[in-house]
């Protein structure tokens, strides 16, 4: 059939050369690819943002957990130190009594030796627990460590110097369990 006969049979069908058909479809294909690529890029960007948000949430959660863990450990340590200092404070009157007993003169050497051994044992136990006696005699008065119960005028002693200790003070690390009761020279 010739072209003209085809036109006469179906007037709606127009014959377009093959080259024109290919030229028309190619430009249309590029916008379709761009149109299809745009939603994919948008979806990719959306997923990246979601991933970034989730990563930030994860990092915050990890930081919160780490802070919680550290805070809990610090609280446990504080409770342990508090309990230990309370237990030591309960034994300090025994220390004071042994110290008074050592200062008393006695004719019984076995008794004196027994009191000395008991005091030595108590000091070793306190030392193992990390409890140390607060140095006081001859030191400069420090209100963070000493409790001044008396003041005395003494030219031989320097200003604010501890000249007598009535009761020994103790500390556990940096925490004062009991202040040293002292006499201070003005």
């Amino acid at each position: 059939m010739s072209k003209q006969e085809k036109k006469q049979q179906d007037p709606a069908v127009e014959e377009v050369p093959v080259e024109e058909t290919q030229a028309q479809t190619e430009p249309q294909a590029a916008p379709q690819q761009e149109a299809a690529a745009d939603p994919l890029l948008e979806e990719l960007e959306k997923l990246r943002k979601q991933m970034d948000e989730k990563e930030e949430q994860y990092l915050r959660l990890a930081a919160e957990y780490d802070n919680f863990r550290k805070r809990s450990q610090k609280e446990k340590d504080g409770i342990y130190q508090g309990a230990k200092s309370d237990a030591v404070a309960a034994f300090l009157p025994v220390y004071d009594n042994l110290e008074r007993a050592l200062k008393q003169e006695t004719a019984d050497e076995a008794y004196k030796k027994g009191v000395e051994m008991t005091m030595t044992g108590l000091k070793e136990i306190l030392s193992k627990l990390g409890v140390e006696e607060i140095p006081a005699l001859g030191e400069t008065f420090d209100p963070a460590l000493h409790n001044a119960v008396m003041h005395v005028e003494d030219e031989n002693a320097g200003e604010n110097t501890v000249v007598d200790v009535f009761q020994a003070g103790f500390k556990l690390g940096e925490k004062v369990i009991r202040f040293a009761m002292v006499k201070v020279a003005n």
Side-chain angles (χ1 to χ4, degrees):
M1 245 189 197
S2 71
K3 289 183 186 178
Q4 233 172 15
E5 288 174 2
K6 284 184 184 178
K7 269 189 180 181
Q8 287 174 356
Q9 285 178 356
D10 191 7
V13 176
E14 222 178 285
E15 197 170 302
V16 180
V18 176
E19 295 166 355
E20 286 181 24
T21 309
Q22 287 176 350
Q24 288 176 355
T25 56
E26 286 177 11
Q28 290 174 356
Q32 285 177 354
Q33 285 177 352
E34 286 178 19
D38 284 344
L40 288 176
L41 287 175
E42 289 174 8
E43 183 69 20
L44 180 63
E45 273 304 309
K46 184 179 174 184
L47 290 173
R48 280 186 183 158
K49 285 180 183 178
Q50 286 178 353
M51 187 180 76
D52 289 343
E53 289 173 4
K54 294 297 180 188
E55 183 179 10
E56 185 176 327
Q57 287 176 349
Y58 167 75
L59 291 174
R60 285 184 184 200
L61 183 63
E64 286 177 15
Y65 174 73
D66 191 44
N67 290 339
F68 169 76
R69 186 182 53 78
K70 288 176 183 176
R71 188 173 49 249
S72 296
Q73 186 62 41
K74 190 174 183 180
E75 287 174 1
K76 283 180 190 176
D77 292 343
I79 290 170
Y80 176 72
Q81 291 295 338
K84 190 160 70 167
S85 67
D86 290 346
V88 168
F91 282 101
L92 291 181
V94 175
Y95 179 92
D96 295 335
N97 289 336
L98 288 172
E99 195 172 52
R100 284 187 208 104
L102 285 172
K103 289 181 181 177
Q104 295 299 317
E105 292 295 323
T106 183
D108 189 355
E109 288 299 317
Y111 171 77
K112 186 173 183 170
K113 179 83 170 163
V115 173
E116 286 174 354
M117 288 173 58
T118 305
M119 182 60 132
T120 303
L122 183 57
K123 284 183 177 182
E124 286 175 7
I125 290 171
L126 292 175
S127 176
K128 286 179 184 176
L129 290 173
V131 177
E132 54 189 49
E133 190 172 340
I134 297 172
L137 190 59
E139 299 286 323
T140 303
F141 175 74
D142 182 0
L145 300 174
H146 306 122
N147 180 17
V149 292
M150 289 181 73
H151 295 279
V152 65
E153 296 294 328
D154 189 357
E155 286 90 32
N156 297 335
E159 183 80 17
N160 286 331
T161 302
V162 175
V163 292
D164 198 6
V165 178
F166 299 118
Q167 190 176 51
F170 294 90
K171 63 181 182 175
L172 177 63
E174 294 299 314
K175 181 181 179 182
V176 175
I177 297 173
R178 182 173 79 181
F179 294 94
M181 198 179 306
V182 296
K183 181 193 297 186
V184 180
N186 285 342

